[in-house]
Amino acid sequence: ETKKLTVNLFLCRLHPNLESFGNMTTTVPQAVTDALEKLDPSSKEIIESYIATLQAELRGEDPSAAAMDETEATTSDEQPFPPLYESGEDYDQAGDLKQEAADLKSSGDWEGALEKYTAAVLAAPPSALLYANRATALLALGRPHAAERDCEMALQENPDSAKALRVRGKARKELGQYEKALKDLSAAQAIDFDEGTVEDLKFLTEKHLETEKSQADKRNQEEDKMRKRAEEIKKAREDAKKDKEAAEASRDMPGMPGGGMPGGMPAGMDMSALTGLMSDPEIVAAMSNPKVQGAFQELMAGPGGPMGLMNNPQKLQELMGDPEVGPVMQKIMSKLTGGMGGGGFGGTAAPGNDGDDEMPDLDDLPDLE
C-alpha cells in the first residue's frame, strides 16, 4: 500500500489536475501520458523509467527488468506504449470508436486509427480482437514492440486468437526474433489460414534452416576438434609407452647400466643394432638366466666387445657350444654384427691379422636351438 501511495503522489505531481488513484492499475493513465509528452526528452526519459520501476514493484516483478523493457520500448519504437484499459463500461462509445477506427484504417490513416482504437480500449473492457486490431495499427506505424505487447494482452483474453498470433509473429519477425515469429505464424496458420502470411513463413523457414545449418556446422567443428585432440592424446600416450619400454629394456640389460657399454661402444657398431637388441623380448627374457648374463657381460666387457671374439676363435667356439648360452649368443651376435661396418663374422680377418687364420663361420656351427 505504501508503494501504491508513492506512485499516486508521484503521478499527481506530474499533473495537478489528476484525481486520486486509490484504485489505480499498473497502467499509466492517458492524462499522465499527455503530461509526459510536454516534457523535454531528457526529463521524459527519467520519469518514464521511474514510473516503470514503481509499476514493476507493484506487480511484484524485478524493477531492473521492467526498466530495461520500458527503455527498449521507448528507444526502439521511439514512443511509449499506448495505455491499456483501466476502468469504464461505455460499450456504446467503444463500439462507435471501433467503427471509426476501422474506417480510418481502410483509408490508410493508421495514426487516426490508432487514436480511435486506444480510445475504444479505454472506454470499455477490450476484447482480444480490439487489442489485435490496435497491434495491427502499431505494426503499420513501425512500432513492433508495442504491437507485440498488445498481442500478448489479446492472447491473455483468447489464447487461440489467430489474428493476435499472426500480428505478434510479424512483429517478432521485424524484431529479428525469427524462431519465435515462425512459431507464432505457424500456429496462426493452423487456426485460420491466411494467404498473405505465406511469404513471411517462407522467409522464416529459410532463416530456421540457416540457423540449423549454422548450429550443425558449429557442432561438427567442435567434434572435429575433440577427435583431433583425442588422436593427439592417444599418440602421445603410445609414444610415452614406447619410450618407457625402451628405457626399461636398457636398464634391465646386463653390463649396460644406463644404456651404455663398458669401455664404450665397440668401433663400427651401429646404434640401431643395439636398440634392436634391447627391444627384443626373447633376448630380454633370456637374460634372466644367470649363465647367459655372465656370458654376455664377459662378451661386452672384453677388449673390442663382440669384435674381440674374432681374435679368439676358441672362446667363440666355447660360447656357441654351450646349449644354454649358444642359441642366445648366436642371436645376439647376429643382431650386433648385422650393424657392423665390416659385414659380420664369417670370413672376416681380425684386426692386425694377415688373414692366414680363418675364423669359423657361424653357418658352420651346429644349430643348438
Side-chain angles (χ1 to χ4, degrees):
E1 291 298 321
T2 301
K3 290 181 178 178
K4 182 179 291 189
L5 179 59
T6 302
V7 175
N8 293 343
L9 292 173
F10 176 74
L11 295 177
C12 287
R13 288 176 182 175
L14 285 177
H15 198 287
N17 297 325
L18 289 178
E19 297 178 356
S20 173
F21 291 92
N23 297 318
M24 71 168 287
T25 67
T26 57
T27 303
V28 179
Q30 183 63 45
V32 176
T33 302
D34 294 339
L36 286 172
E37 294 298 328
K38 299 177 182 179
L39 300 175
D40 63 271
S42 177
S43 299
K44 178 182 175 183
E45 182 178 352
I46 294 172
I47 294 173
E48 284 176 343
S49 176
Y50 183 60
I51 291 174
T53 301
L54 295 177
Q55 289 177 322
E57 290 180 352
L58 286 173
R59 292 191 299 265
E61 299 174 357
D62 181 3
S64 60
M68 184 180 299
D69 291 341
E70 184 67 20
T71 300
E72 184 180 50
T74 56
T75 56
S76 299
D77 293 336
E78 298 182 354
Q79 296 182 50
F81 290 169
L84 301 176
Y85 171 75
E86 296 179 22
S87 63
E89 295 183 358
D90 193 340
Y91 291 98
D92 292 337
Q93 183 186 18
D96 293 340
L97 289 167
K98 284 187 284 187
Q99 184 58 52
E100 293 177 21
D103 293 340
L104 291 167
K105 180 178 71 172
S106 298
S107 65
D109 185 358
W110 290 107
E111 286 284 359
L114 174 60
E115 182 179 349
K116 296 299 181 180
Y117 278 135
T118 298
V121 165
L122 297 175
S127 64
L129 181 59
L130 176 54
Y131 273 128
N133 283 333
R134 188 171 73 168
T136 303
L138 287 165
L139 186 60
L141 292 169
R143 299 172 63 183
H145 282 98
E148 182 183 26
R149 193 280 307 269
D150 268 14
C151 288
E152 289 171 354
M153 296 300 298
L155 291 169
Q156 288 181 19
E157 297 292 328
N158 179 14
D160 295 325
S161 171
K163 184 164 188 177
L165 286 168
R166 185 171 293 115
V167 176
R168 187 174 71 171
K170 292 184 177 183
R172 287 175 168 176
K173 173 178 174 284
E174 294 298 318
L175 294 171
Q177 301 172 11
Y178 298 136
E179 291 298 318
K180 290 182 177 180
L182 178 60
K183 183 177 179 181
D184 279 346
L185 292 184
S186 298
Q189 293 291 78
I191 297 171
D192 179 26
F193 183 81
D194 174 59
E195 186 68 31
T197 306
V198 173
E199 286 300 317
D200 288 322
L201 272 176
K202 182 180 178 182
F203 171 82
L204 293 170
T205 301
E206 291 174 353
K207 287 293 183 180
H208 175 73
L209 294 176
E210 289 175 5
T211 300
E212 281 192 336
K213 183 179 182 302
S214 175
Q215 292 174 346
D217 290 343
K218 185 176 181 180
R219 285 195 302 270
N220 291 336
Q221 291 175 1
E222 292 297 325
E223 289 173 0
D224 287 342
K225 289 181 181 179
M226 293 177 64
R227 184 165 46 252
K228 290 178 181 178
R229 180 58 179 161
E231 290 173 356
E232 291 174 356
I233 293 174
K234 181 180 179 182
K235 185 177 184 302
R237 287 176 176 173
E238 290 175 349
D239 291 343
K241 182 179 179 181
K242 289 179 181 179
D243 292 343
K244 181 180 179 182
E245 290 174 350
E248 289 176 349
S250 174
R251 185 172 61 252
D252 295 340
M253 190 66 69
M256 301 177 66
M261 285 189 175
M265 184 180 294
M269 181 177 291
D270 189 347
M271 186 61 187
S272 63
L274 181 60
T275 303
L277 177 66
M278 293 186 296
S279 60
D280 190 310
E282 293 182 10
I283 294 177
V284 174
M287 289 300 167
S288 62
N289 187 332
K291 191 171 184 180
V292 175
Q293 287 186 22
F296 185 74
Q297 287 177 342
E298 184 179 356
L299 171 67
M300 300 305 293
M307 290 295 293
L309 288 178
M310 300 181 69
N311 293 326
N312 193 348
Q314 182 177 357
K315 183 64 177 178
L316 177 61
Q317 191 71 19
E318 175 187 342
L319 293 173
M320 295 303 178
D322 190 305
E324 294 182 69
V325 177
V328 180
M329 298 306 296
Q330 184 173 355
K331 189 166 188 177
I332 291 174
M333 297 296 295
S334 176
K335 281 185 173 288
L336 289 177
T337 58
M340 298 289 189
F345 277 98
T348 304
N353 193 311
D354 58 6
D356 292 339
D357 296 328
E358 291 188 1
M359 292 294 295
D361 196 316
L362 293 177
D363 294 334
D364 295 335
L365 296 176
D367 187 359
L368 300 177
E369 294 185 289

